[in-house]
Amino acid sequence: MRRTIKYVLAAALLSGTASAETIKIGVNEPLTGAFAASGTYVVNGAKIAADEINAKGGILGKKIELVIEDNKSNPTEAAAVAEKLITSDKTPVLMGAWGSSLTLAVMPKLIEYETPMLVETSSSGKITTSGNPYIFRISPPSSVEAAAFKNIVDKLNLKKVDFLVINNDWGRGTADDFGKMFKEKGIGVGLVETMDQGAQDMSAQLSKFKSSDSETIIVTTSVDQLTLIFKQAAALGLKKRIITTGGSQNPDQIIAQAGAAANGTMHLTTFLPWLPDQTPNPEATSYFISEWKKRGFDFAGCTESFRGYDGIRTVAAAIEKAGKAEPAAIKAAFWDIKVKGLNGDIVFRKSGPEGKESGQSQPNVYLIEIEDGKVGLKNL
């Protein structure tokens, strides 16, 4: 009996030692379902960051270990994944969860278990204004996109706009934030049409736009639906200007899938892999792109994968600043770091109700245009 107890204790000690040899970071992303392509890009970018950090000796004398889980593009699953990463995998900090509806579903778990999460993609304003002090976001909320766009709308000569948005927090939030900005600028807001996440036929909504008196359509959804929209708009002979927000981080993929139907479309984006010398961190951008290609990934994925890369680098900086891999210390450290990201300096400013503020970084936002199957920075 004593010998058995000794073996059990020895096994437990060995297990604890193995666990202590790495610092775990939970990664909660959609690897299957409607957003699988985007989630996979983000995860692959995260792996590049982890490998780079570990090759330089890790942090706090230990290698980092990404514990990657699939939230299946489903909010309920995203919440369950977060709970597993925190309680079973013992990760002291998370990164996720791509879509706004996924991240919003995770947020109560962060409060329940007092664990911070770096948000790399989601753009709903609710994420940083609802009073969750465990949220730190590096992607721009729709309000930041709208504020950046506000500075250039006059040069585009917008008179009246319609909206076609995915029917979730991300899409509806975009329509609200951009709609308010347009009204402040004296620009008319016409139709606001929605589409379900898995919808394949948007011809009914597009037909309404064809008959409206607006000259511009603001579209917010993921790349696969954008491709369908551009093709269906071309088939209907819809000639209006289309500008996409938030989900248009894969213009190369859009070009590959939509072909000539993508020409003339404009896209708000937060990264310029096509023009690395014009990014805030050209040397790091060039390294990331070369590493991405070296691993055999399609160049199109760069425009989303960089968020996973910057996200893990930011989490690692917070852990190092904290001096220990503990949730409370990492949460506090997020407020004191400055990371030179691929799309600008990552510094968190307070957002939300006093005493429960979330952290929001302010990345650069660019307007690019697709012409003749190529991506270019829109000259205004």
Side-chain angles (χ1 to χ4, degrees), residues 65-208:
E65 175 189 353
L66 303 184
V67 184
I68 301 166
E69 291 286 344
D70 177 14
N71 64 38
K72 302 177 183 178
S73 304
N74 179 281
T76 302
E77 191 70 25
V81 162
E83 187 164 45
K84 175 187 179 296
L85 287 169
I86 297 167
T87 61
S88 298
D89 297 309
K90 307 299 182 184
T91 58
V93 60
L94 309 181
M95 184 183 80
W98 196 80
S100 294
S101 59
L102 306 173
T103 297
L104 287 164
V106 166
M107 285 167 56
K109 297 296 183 183
L110 305 179
I111 294 175
E112 180 180 354
Y113 295 108
E114 300 181 337
T115 301
M117 183 168 84
L118 187 290
V119 178
E120 87 297 332
T121 303
S122 311
S123 60
S124 170
K126 293 180 183 178
I127 290 168
T128 48
T129 59
S130 62
N132 190 318
Y134 297 94
I135 286 288
F136 296 86
R137 176 164 56 181
I138 61 172
S139 59
S142 50
S143 60
V144 168
E145 278 191 295
F149 195 46
K150 183 177 182 178
N151 298 323
I152 59 177
V153 291
D154 292 337
K155 297 176 182 178
L156 291 174
N157 196 31
L158 299 185
K159 301 298 183 184
K160 187 174 183 178
V161 300
D162 293 330
F163 286 89
L164 176 58
V165 299
I166 190 169
N167 191 19
N168 60 18
D169 294 289
W170 169 33
R172 293 189 298 269
T174 296
D176 288 343
D177 288 328
F178 275 75
K180 290 175 185 175
M181 181 272 290
F182 287 139
K183 290 175 182 176
E184 289 172 2
K185 295 287 292 183
I187 298 168
V189 175
L191 300 172
V192 178
E193 294 288 323
T194 63
M195 54 195 159
D196 291 335
Q197 179 174 303
Q200 300 287 305
D201 185 1
M202 277 64 71
S203 56
Q205 295 96 320
L206 293 170
S207 294
K208 291 181 183 179

